[in-house]
Amino acid sequence: MADDSEEEVVLHWLVSRRWGQCSLLDEEPEGGVFGSIPLCLNATGKDTSIAFTKIFVCILRSSFAFCRMSLGTFDCLLSSLRTVLTFMDTNMRRSITPEERLIVTLRFLATGNSFASLHFEFLLGTLTISRIVLHICQVIWEQLRETVMPQLKVDDRLRIAEGFNVSVQFPNCLGAMDGKHIRVKKPPHSGSRFFNYKHHFSIVLMAVADSNYKFIMVNIGAYGSTSDARIFSASRMGERLRANQLAIPESRRLPGSAGPSAPFVFVADEGFAMTHHVMRPFPKRGLDVRRCIYNYRLTRACRYLECAFGILSSKWRVFLSSIQMDPENATRVIQACVVLHNFTHIHEAFSSVDLDEFPTTTVLDLDRTMHKRPGTAGIAVREIFADYFLSPEGSLPWQRDAIHGSV
């Protein structure tokens, strides 16, 4: 075994796991996925940490789906967290390595497997795995949140607006805003607070995304029964927006337009109240061509957040089923996934989503809409955008064909 290649090491490990035997040890090896190879290699005198690194590298090279990120990204993530994840060995036992702590957590987030299932895969105690997962999720949020979701300045907002103008021809757009219901098990003695309009229990991930499918602001943990408008209004995002603390650039004229200046806005669906800086579509009743075109253009911008939610759920498949945790711990899991979504986006090559695959002629019909009368300032801003999208300076060649049948 001393001269064996990494591939032969992996083959030996796979055979021993498949048939329950190991040619280098008389007894069955301990330590699960990452313990069997180090024990096998101990017979040759190799260091266990080196053996763990080899098997881990081979697994990541052979299967990107194991932890939903490349080896380089994992190395960068591990180096950012290693100090916090390193614990002291004692005379009674060796501490679990930072590598194994992180890979157990990523495996849980990538698959949504139960802790009992991960116990058979890693041969760690179920309670140990649960504590590791919750601790790592909290560490990821606390250590990396400011790095991947920094406090935006005016220049950053302008770059985001330029991205939306180039991608979907919606100028002065600071981001797409919406909420996503994350299924959780029913908390005891919670009544109907977490029961949402989709008839399951959930907590809400309220987020704002840019034109690169990255989350720039999030609010996590609201009751599933609460509407998007109320969640946003009560969130720190909403409070800072009302207090003018979000570093929003000064109003300016829309590109090529000689009309009045338009403020920078967030785009949202009908579930949000319209304000000076939040745009939503026109009601569906009595739509003319001008209003249909405005709804079409706004919906194209809103899809970036819907796609970001889709990418999040596709990569971190813990969201594909109900999270079997109480709301507080489920919030930690969601926080970690949001940070990892941005982290992998920054460190890996990203293939853009084909937005043409999604329908754009209509806006989602939401029964949870709060039918509040929009403010005068919001109505005036929406009229500016509606007029611009119909003008020669702001119209698109295909927009009338796109709304065909909606009028």
Side-chain angles (χ1 to χ4, degrees):
M1 286 288 293
D3 298 327
D4 280 354
S5 65
E6 291 180 351
E7 289 75 12
E8 291 170 328
V9 171
V10 175
L11 179 61
H12 172 79
W13 169 69
L14 292 174
V15 170
S16 65
R17 277 182 60 82
R18 174 65 181 85
W19 301 107
Q21 52 184 297
C22 182
S23 60
L24 296 181
L25 289 178
D26 294 334
E27 66 274 8
E28 184 178 351
E30 300 176 356
V33 172
F34 299 109
S36 57
I37 287 298
L39 283 177
C40 291
L41 296 182
N42 274 343
T44 67
K46 288 189 177 182
D47 183 80
T48 56
S49 61
I50 297 175
F52 172 82
T53 302
K54 278 193 172 185
I55 183 62
F56 172 70
V57 168
C58 293
I59 287 177
L60 285 188
R61 284 177 178 173
S62 61
S63 177
F64 175 84
F66 192 82
C67 65
R68 308 303 290 173
M69 63 177 61
S70 65
L71 178 59
T73 304
F74 181 89
D75 285 339
C76 185
L77 179 62
L78 181 61
S79 63
S80 301
L81 305 176
R82 180 179 290 278
T83 303
V84 189
L85 304 186
T86 302
F87 293 85
M88 183 182 298
D89 293 334
T90 69
N91 293 331
M92 301 298 295
R93 55 102 180 104
R94 291 184 179 181
S95 64
I96 301 174
T97 63
E99 290 86 354
E100 191 164 4
R101 289 176 180 272
L102 187 55
I103 196 64
V104 167
T105 303
L106 293 178
R107 186 63 177 164
F108 168 74
L109 299 178
T111 62
N113 290 344
S114 66
F115 295 148
S117 175
L118 294 175
H119 157 71
F120 291 105
E121 188 169 356
F122 293 93
L123 293 188
L124 294 172
T126 303
L127 181 59
T128 300
I129 291 177
S130 68
R131 289 176 175 174
I132 288 175
V133 168
L134 294 178
H135 175 249
I136 299 298
C137 287
Q138 183 176 358
V139 167
I140 289 174
W141 175 255
E142 293 175 351
Q143 298 293 320
L144 300 178
R145 175 183 53 180
E146 295 299 329
T147 303
V148 301
M149 284 191 298
Q151 192 76 22
L152 297 181
K153 301 178 180 179
V154 173
D155 292 341
D156 300 321
R157 302 280 186 191
L158 290 174
R159 281 194 292 270
I160 291 174
E162 181 62 24
F164 275 100
N165 189 32
V166 171
S167 301
V168 289
Q169 298 77 48
F170 198 110
N172 289 20
C173 179
L174 299 177
M177 180 169 57
D178 201 0
K180 177 179 176 62
H181 288 269
I182 308 297
R183 297 187 64 166
V184 296
K185 70 175 183 180
K186 181 185 183 300
H189 313 296
S190 62
S192 60
R193 286 177 296 175
F194 293 91
F195 194 72
N196 61 33
Y197 72 101
K198 298 181 178 180
H199 306 294
H200 60 72
F201 296 91
S202 67
I203 57 179
V204 179
L205 164 60
M206 179 68 61
V208 179
D210 63 13
S211 60
N212 292 317
Y213 313 103
K214 287 174 54 181
F215 298 114
I216 56 179
M217 292 188 295
V218 295
N219 181 81
I220 305 169
Y223 295 144
S225 61
T226 311
S227 67
D228 287 346
R230 292 189 184 277
I231 294 172
F232 178 73
S233 179
S235 68
R236 188 164 178 261
M237 293 185 292
E239 293 175 353
R240 294 179 61 201
L241 180 62
R242 290 191 297 271
N244 197 24
Q245 296 176 351
L246 288 181
I248 295 179
E250 294 293 331
S251 302
R252 67 181 183 185
R253 288 177 176 172
L254 301 177
S257 173
S261 298
F264 286 80
V265 298
F266 297 96
V267 295
D269 60 27
E270 294 175 339
F272 290 83
M274 190 167 65
T275 67
H276 188 67
H277 291 293
V278 177
M279 291 292 100
R280 74 176 192 181
F282 285 102
K284 290 189 174 183
R285 290 176 294 182
L287 288 177
D288 55 15
V289 172
R290 173 175 166 274
R291 293 188 173 190
C292 276
I293 289 176
Y294 168 84
N295 284 3
Y296 165 71
R297 299 286 290 272
L298 181 135
T299 305
R300 293 181 75 229
C302 288
R303 285 179 302 162
Y304 277 92
L305 181 58
E306 299 298 333
C307 290
F309 284 150
I311 295 168
L312 178 73
S313 299
S314 177
K315 179 178 283 288
W316 307 111
R317 299 184 179 181
V318 67
F319 295 125
L320 297 185
S321 59
S322 177
I323 300 178
Q324 298 301 303
M325 297 179 178
D326 60 70
E328 181 181 355
N329 291 334
T331 297
R332 291 189 192 181
V333 170
I334 300 169
Q335 289 173 336
C337 290
V338 167
V339 169
L340 291 172
H341 170 90
N342 282 9
F343 189 88
T344 55
H345 181 91
I346 293 171
H347 290 85
E348 296 178 359
F350 185 76
S351 57
S352 61
V353 177
D354 184 9
L355 293 181
D356 292 335
E357 296 179 359
F358 296 85
T360 60
T361 56
T362 60
V363 181
L364 294 178
D365 184 15
L366 301 178
D367 293 334
R368 67 186 187 279
T369 300
M370 293 182 62
H371 298 286
K372 288 186 176 181
R373 189 175 185 85
T376 305
I379 293 177
V381 173
R382 185 168 63 179
E383 294 298 326
I384 292 175
F385 280 98
D387 291 337
Y388 176 75
F389 293 147
L390 199 60
S391 68
E393 296 81 10
S395 64
L396 298 176
W398 64 85
Q399 63 186 20
R400 289 183 178 271
D401 294 334
I403 67 168
H404 181 68
S406 298
V407 181

